[in-house]
Amino acid sequence: MSRFSALPLRALSALVLAATVTVAAPSIAKADPSSPIEPAAVSSYQSKIKNDGTGVHYPTNAVGELPVALLLQGGKVHRQYYSQYAAAVASYGFIVVTPNHKRLNFFDHDYYTSTSQVAETLSWMAAENASAASPLHDRIDTDTMVLLGHSFGGATGLSIAEDKCSIPFCTTLSFDLPSAVKAGSFYGTNNAILGIYPTIDNQIPVQLVQGQSDGMAEPAQAETSYTKIANGHKQIVRVTGANHYGITDVQNPSGAEAEVNSQSLSQATSIAVTARWAALWLRAQLGDTAAATYVYSTGDASDAAVTVTSAP
C-alpha cells in the first residue's frame, strides 16, 4: 500500500496546545493546476531538537501519521528564513522541522549543518510523538524521514545519502544511515571539491533542484554532480529565473554570503515551485503513485518554470 494512500484532509477536533506553542496562520503553497495534491492549511510551533531551536510546520487537519522532513539550512543562514518554504513543503503532507544548528566549521563558528542531526531528529520524533503536550502527539510516522537541504545543508544531505562520515559534514567519529531515511531533495547544491566531482554512492533516491540564475552554486556544477549520482532514482529540476536564495523568505538573508545574480522570479513563485517539486518528488519515493506520475511524466510539460531530467 502507498505510504500516502490514506491522507485525505478532513477536519479534526481542536488540539489542546501547551502555552509555549504558537499556531501560525494557514499558509498555502501556490498550486500548479495539474498537481495531483491540493496544498493544505499549515500550522507551526517552536520546539527544540537537542540544543537547536527548531521551527515545526505541519498540515493542520491531516489525518493519520505524517513523515518528517528534516530541512538542513544553508551555511550562515538562520532558520527563520526558511519559514515560507517549510510551510509550503508541509502543505503537501509533511512535518517539516528546521533546526538552527550552530557549530564550528574549521575556523568559523556559525550556522553549519552536520550528519549528527539525523539521529538527533529521530530522537526528537520519538519523544514528540509520545508527548501528550505536543500538537503532534501520535501524529508522527517515527519510521519515516526525508531530507531537504539548501547549499551547505544540501551538501550535508548528499553526505548523509552516501552513508559517509566525511569532513566537513560529519562531526562525530562515524555515521550510519538509519533505515528511516528514505530520500532527499537538495536546492542549490553540488559536490564539487576543488573542481573535482567524486562519484556520489547514494543509498537513497536524490533530487537536485537548481536555480538557473544561481551565481554561488552554479548550474553547471549541479549538472555535473547529477551525472555523478550513481544509484537508484534521481532527478534534477532546473528552475528558470531562480538564484541561490530562491527558497529563502528574502534575497540575501542577513548574515549569509551575498548572491551575485538577481532573481527574475518573484520570491513567492520560486518558493512555490521549488517546494512543489521537492514535496511531490519525496512523496513519490514514499509510494505515492499520483505524485510519481507528476514528477516523472506530466509535471515538466505543465510547469513553465522548470525543465526536468530523471533516471532511471
Side-chain angles (χ1 to χ4, degrees):
M1 179 182 291
S2 166
R3 171 66 189 78
F4 280 100
S5 60
L7 270 182
L9 296 174
R10 300 189 296 269
L12 291 176
S13 57
L15 293 170
V16 179
L17 305 184
T20 56
V21 172
T22 60
V23 180
S27 176
I28 305 294
K30 220 179 268 184
D32 178 340
S34 68
S35 172
I37 311 298
E38 183 66 26
V42 170
S43 295
S44 70
Y45 67 99
Q46 301 301 308
S47 187
K48 184 171 281 192
I49 295 179
K50 198 174 181 180
N51 297 318
D52 299 338
T54 300
V56 183
H57 291 79
Y58 63 98
T60 306
N61 295 324
V63 172
E65 294 181 339
L66 298 169
V68 168
L70 168 60
L71 174 49
L72 299 162
Q73 69 205 109
K76 302 184 180 182
V77 184
H78 193 285
R79 67 175 173 87
Q80 69 184 357
Y81 293 108
Y82 296 102
S83 63
Q84 294 176 34
Y85 178 74
V89 173
S91 74
Y92 287 95
F94 293 93
I95 298 164
V96 181
V97 296
T98 313
N100 225 22
H101 195 69
K102 203 167 197 177
R103 67 174 177 90
L104 187 67
N105 180 40
F106 296 112
F107 301 105
D108 189 18
H109 190 263
D110 213 316
Y111 300 114
Y112 292 105
T113 52
S114 69
T115 57
S116 65
Q117 290 179 255
V118 171
E120 292 165 3
T121 302
L122 286 170
S123 294
W124 174 88
M125 288 163 60
E128 197 75 0
N129 194 53
S131 172
S134 170
L136 296 174
H137 175 54
D138 284 340
R139 301 282 306 285
I140 301 174
D141 178 355
T142 56
D143 294 324
T144 305
M145 178 194 291
V146 294
L147 304 173
L148 299 164
H150 175 217
S151 193
F152 187 95
T156 303
L158 287 176
S159 180
I160 292 167
E162 288 195 275
D163 194 11
K164 279 187 176 179
C165 186
S166 55
I167 296 172
F169 313 112
C170 185
T171 56
T172 53
L173 295 177
S174 64
F175 173 76
D176 292 311
L177 180 67
S179 61
V181 181
K182 307 298 186 185
S185 175
F186 310 123
Y187 182 85
T189 294
N190 59 73
N191 75 324
I193 304 173
L194 300 176
I196 298 171
Y197 296 81
T199 296
I200 299 171
D201 185 22
N202 57 303
Q203 305 303 303
I204 57 174
V206 168
Q207 179 196 59
L208 300 180
V209 183
Q210 178 65 40
Q212 295 302 283
S213 296
D214 195 327
M216 298 174 67
E218 297 177 0
Q221 294 176 306
E223 296 290 341
T224 302
S225 295
Y226 177 72
T227 67
K228 296 295 184 178
I229 300 172
N231 307 314
H233 297 297
K234 66 177 180 177
Q235 182 175 82
I236 183 167
V237 180
R238 309 169 187 90
V239 185
T240 303
N243 67 10
H244 195 65
Y245 293 113
I247 69 169
T248 51
D249 293 359
V250 298
Q251 285 288 299
N252 295 323
S254 177
E257 294 183 17
E259 165 67 279
V260 297
N261 293 340
S262 60
Q263 175 163 294
S264 58
L265 287 180
S266 71
Q267 208 69 15
T269 299
S270 64
I271 289 170
V273 170
T274 54
R276 178 172 64 251
W277 278 91
L280 293 182
W281 157 267
L282 293 170
R283 285 184 67 122
Q285 308 319 305
L286 297 181
D288 186 324
T289 55
T293 297
Y294 181 87
V295 298
Y296 291 124
S297 300
T298 62
D300 192 358
S302 67
D303 190 342
V306 307
T307 58
V308 181
T309 300
S310 305

